[in-house]
Amino acid sequence: MLDGRSISNCGFLGAMGAHHKEESRIEEDGLWAALYGVAKIASGAAEVGLVIAYSKPSESDVNLFYTSQCEPFYQRPVGFDHPGACGLQAQRYLADYGFGEADLARVVARR
């Protein structure tokens, strides 16, 4: 979805072991494919499933993509994008659990 390819341009099924196997292609997010696989197995239509999701965000501006997901006014964005949303989540987490900058620095140093 991020790189602008249609669902029919799926060039990696053979490499994933799905060559000449029954396949279903789901557009949008890999989560939809996972839900489809679960539903297919739960319904008894399949016993095993292989869910493959990929994206190549280097061919697009990911921030513009996520901004279009959050903004009702794409032509007049108000500045809320996924880094902003992640920052708000992180601030809430730090406040709820009493962590601070020194705690974050320790995590970064360990990594």
Side-chain angles (χ1 to χ4, degrees), residues 87-99:
L88 289 174
Q89 287 178 322
Q91 285 180 345
R92 179 62 189 254
Y93 179 83
L94 294 175
D96 285 351
Y97 293 97
F99 294 125

Side-chain angles (χ1 to χ4, degrees), residues 23-81:
E23 68 178 82
S24 299
R25 297 177 183 177
I26 309 296
E27 292 188 56
E28 299 288 338
D29 190 4
L31 180 60
W32 289 114
L35 291 172
Y36 176 77
V38 167
K40 192 166 183 176
I41 292 170
S43 71
E47 293 180 14
V48 176
L50 173 64
V51 176
I52 302 167
Y54 89 101
S55 182
K56 191 173 181 187
S58 62
E59 294 184 9
S60 61
D61 185 341
V62 178
N63 284 331
L64 287 178
F65 169 78
Y66 282 112
T67 298
S68 72
Q69 296 279 308
C70 296
E71 294 287 346
F73 306 106
Y74 182 69
Q75 299 297 325
R76 297 179 289 140
V78 295
F80 190 69
D81 56 5

